[in-house]
Amino acid sequence: MTAVYNDLLFEISRPGRKGYSLPESSVEKTDLTGVIPEHLIREDAAELPELSELQVMRHYTGLSNKNFGIETGFYPLGSCTMKYNPKVNEDIARYSGFAQIHPFQPAQTAQGALELMYRLEENLKEVTGMDAISLQPAAGAQGEWAGLLIFKAYHEANGEGEQRRKILVPDSAHGTNPASAVVAGYDVVEIKSNEQGRVGIDALKAAVGPDTAGLMLTNPNTLGLFEVDIVEIAEIVHEAGGLLYYDGANANAILGKSTPGEMGFDVVHLNLHKSFSTPHGGGGPGSGPIGVKDYLKAFMPSPRIEKEGDRYQVTTDHPQSIGRVKGYFGNFGVNVRAYSYIRSMGAEGLQQVSEDAVLHANYLKARLEPYYDTPYSSHCKHEFVLSGVRQKKLGVRTLDIAKRLLDYGFYAPTVYFPLIVEECLMIEPTETEAKEQLDAFADAMIEIAEDAENNPETVTGAPFTKAVKRLDEVTAARKPVVTYQRD
């Protein structure tokens, strides 16, 4: 028999049950005629479920136990850095002086918040090697868009706005890169990777020209590989008059080791909800600050936070600015968490983050190489890709492997991305996992590979242990049923 908390609230409702006790209201009923449009006034009481407090508690606690999160299991989602977030950062973000502040307060009453944001910008300047930072963008994709608007403003200021209409994007790039370029009004030119999975220098040289606005690049790239020719790449783009944009989604692989500024990038965004340990997933909230070199500072979003003596001010007199890209000062609570994380980790701690992330990824890669195809054999950075082509020949696809992992209690890695790897599995173990957890995941992946050879039906029919078994995903995507109809 199914446990009660698996049923819907309406299904366990019984007339007369209550989970509350309220005093009699001393407020007389008011005639709402003329106040609320007549067709919006309810004639009958809302049909709500009637339940005891215990039933409600069990229902929602049961649902929460079914949910998957980083606190409940391993989450190796490639290119997304789903790592554990220390709860001290949550506590600090809930300090009343931060949680209850209002963005319309005058600057003299919000000095603490302004100082925190100013200090965070200074920290991120050091992390990125940039000369100025804006915390406004709400997420990585918005940071990309804002950065490309700065590209556009720069070229327009140089009288080349109409001429430079093309953004170069590697074929291994995050999907948001070409999308952001299009939204910013650019044409996208794809740059093919070479056999090593990195930007093809010859392909890049053939693509740049007087119409090049810039190149968008992640380093290490989406395959988890460091672009060893980055200095030459920067020289090629700059000699053509273009700018370099750094997608900071993979910054946790280089913290304390290198900076985009040293590599030759002009604009960068960081995902604070990835590298700097703020909540991630479920649609947000996020934070995607952008940084620029001095010669682009005039085009940064406005308003800005500046320090005058020992006071912090909000300034708006920036005539060449691309303007405001996010209400108020971005997602302030996320920025508080990131600042707390940076301060608690320190420079040595952030460097250790990168070292552990790279070590974990290479350890997992080494354990799994005998059982899965590895399209690129060189050492990876914080993430790596496998190919399920070997298993596909046995009738087991990457999607099946991902479904089967659910039975082992693991969230599946990113699958079928990057698109340039057939039957791709993209795995990012992060720096926060223990060796025992990495071994448990590797053991599960190895067992699945062995089952693909000897008992493929145990993989192709998965999952078997979840409340919801394998779905018809096409129908679920094209004809979703998200409402409940009572009989």
Side-chain angles (χ1 to χ4, degrees):
M1 180 177 178
T2 304
V4 172
Y5 58 71
N6 281 338
D7 297 327
L8 299 178
L9 290 177
F10 280 105
E11 293 171 335
I12 59 177
S13 172
R14 297 293 183 273
R17 288 181 180 166
K18 287 185 177 181
Y20 63 90
S21 178
L22 299 176
E24 290 291 330
S25 175
S26 60
V27 179
E28 295 183 3
K29 291 184 178 181
T30 303
D31 184 2
L32 299 177
T33 304
V35 179
I36 298 177
E38 186 174 349
H39 70 281
L40 295 178
I41 299 177
R42 183 182 292 278
E43 296 181 0
D44 302 309
E47 187 179 1
L48 301 175
E50 299 177 67
L51 306 158
S52 69
E53 179 178 328
L54 177 58
Q55 287 178 302
V56 173
M57 286 296 297
R58 283 180 176 166
H59 175 80
Y60 285 107
T61 301
L63 289 178
S64 69
N65 289 337
K66 294 178 183 297
N67 196 26
F68 194 96
I70 199 64
E71 283 82 5
T72 59
F74 186 38
Y75 213 131
L77 198 63
S79 212
C80 279
T81 318
M82 303 296 281
K83 67 184 182 182
Y84 177 72
N85 306 305
K87 294 303 172 272
V88 64
N89 304 333
E90 298 296 315
D91 292 339
I92 291 173
R94 286 169 172 76
Y95 284 177
S96 61
F98 294 141
Q100 298 179 21
I101 198 170
H102 196 284
F104 285 154
Q105 286 182 219
Q108 60 266 29
T109 69
Q111 286 295 294
L114 294 176
E115 180 179 357
L116 182 144
M117 289 187 283
Y118 182 87
R119 287 190 175 193
L120 177 57
E121 289 180 0
E122 292 298 302
N123 291 160
L124 297 181
K125 283 162 61 175
E126 186 170 353
V127 166
T128 60
M130 294 289 130
D131 299 314
I133 296 286
S134 171
L135 301 175
Q136 275 194 37
Q142 193 181 34
E144 293 172 11
W145 172 71
L148 291 170
L149 292 185
I150 290 174
F151 275 29
K152 183 175 289 187
Y154 170 80
H155 290 309
E156 288 176 351
N158 292 335
E160 296 183 336
E162 292 301 319
Q163 169 187 333
R164 297 189 179 275
R165 304 301 309 157
K166 293 182 179 180
I167 292 291
L168 312 181
V169 179
D171 57 4
S172 66
H174 292 131
T176 52
N177 287 182
S180 296
V182 171
V183 171
Y186 284 111
D187 298 323
V188 176
V189 177
E190 183 179 83
I191 305 299
K192 296 294 184 181
S193 299
N194 59 26
E195 292 181 356
Q196 290 75 44
R198 299 177 173 90
V199 171
I201 296 298
D202 291 338
L204 178 62
K205 289 180 177 178
V208 297
D211 57 357
T212 299
L215 168 69
M216 300 185 77
L217 190 63
T218 303
N219 196 21
N221 64 26
T222 311
L223 299 169
L225 305 174
F226 193 84
E227 295 285 354
V228 294
D229 297 320
I230 186 59
V231 173
E232 183 178 359
I233 290 170
E235 290 175 351
I236 292 170
V237 175
H238 286 151
E239 286 177 4
L243 298 172
L244 260 72
Y245 182 89
Y246 184 88
D247 180 332
N250 298 341
N252 58 305
I254 63 167
L255 295 175
K257 298 293 184 179
S258 182
T259 70
E262 293 171 324
M263 298 177 202
F265 287 89
D266 305 289
V267 179
V268 59
H269 93 261
L270 293 172
N271 290 343
L272 299 191
H273 49 288
K274 292 185 180 182
S275 301
F276 297 93
S277 192
T278 65
H280 183 199
S287 181
I290 56 172
V292 302
K293 288 293 190 176
D294 265 332
Y295 41 87
L296 299 175
K297 185 176 179 180
F299 310 110
M300 289 281 277
S302 180
R304 301 173 192 167
I305 300 168
E306 297 180 359
K307 187 177 182 180
E308 299 178 4
D310 61 350
R311 306 294 290 175
Y312 298 88
Q313 303 293 335
V314 179
T315 62
T316 57
D317 185 19
H318 308 287
Q320 290 186 287
S321 168
I322 62 172
R324 184 189 289 275
V325 298
K326 174 71 170 67
Y328 311 123
F329 300 99
N331 282 331
F332 177 65
V334 177
N335 295 333
V336 173
R337 292 171 173 88
Y339 181 71
S340 171
Y341 177 74
I342 292 172
R343 295 289 293 180
S344 61
M345 295 295 288
E348 292 183 1
L350 293 180
Q351 181 171 308
Q352 189 70 43
V353 164
S354 294
E355 292 174 353
D356 289 348
V358 172
L359 176 65
H360 291 181
N362 280 282
Y363 175 72
L364 263 187
K365 181 173 181 285
R367 282 211 61 189
L368 296 176
E369 278 180 324
Y371 303 92
Y372 295 87
D373 293 338
T374 49
Y376 306 102
S377 59
S378 60
H379 288 307
C380 63
K381 299 301 286 184
H382 65 302
E383 64 189 6
F384 63 99
V385 295
L386 300 175
S387 171
V389 169
R390 189 187 315 182
Q391 287 71 32
K392 183 179 179 180
K393 293 177 181 177
L394 301 171
V396 174
R397 299 198 62 194
T398 290
L399 180 64
D400 301 319
I401 296 169
K403 298 287 188 184
R404 182 57 173 156
L405 275 170
L406 301 179
D407 287 328
Y408 289 87
F410 299 120
Y411 198 94
T414 301
V415 295
Y416 300 116
F417 182 81
L419 301 177
I420 60 174
V421 176
E422 185 181 359
E423 294 296 316
C424 186
L425 280 150
M426 187 181 185
I427 302 171
E428 182 178 358
T430 83
E431 76 280 359
T432 56
E433 299 295 338
K435 180 178 180 295
E436 293 82 0
Q437 184 69 84
L438 301 181
D439 282 330
F441 177 77
D443 291 343
M445 287 288 289
I446 291 169
E447 189 170 321
I448 291 171
E450 292 172 343
D451 281 341
E453 292 187 15
N454 304 313
N455 302 293
E457 65 279 358
T458 63
V459 187
T460 56
F464 299 102
T465 63
K466 301 303 173 185
V468 178
K469 303 302 187 288
R470 182 168 292 220
L471 301 173
D472 180 341
E473 295 184 341
V474 174
T475 302
R478 295 182 178 178
K479 298 179 181 180
V481 179
V482 294
T483 59
Y484 172 68
Q485 300 293 332
R486 299 190 68 180
D487 293 334

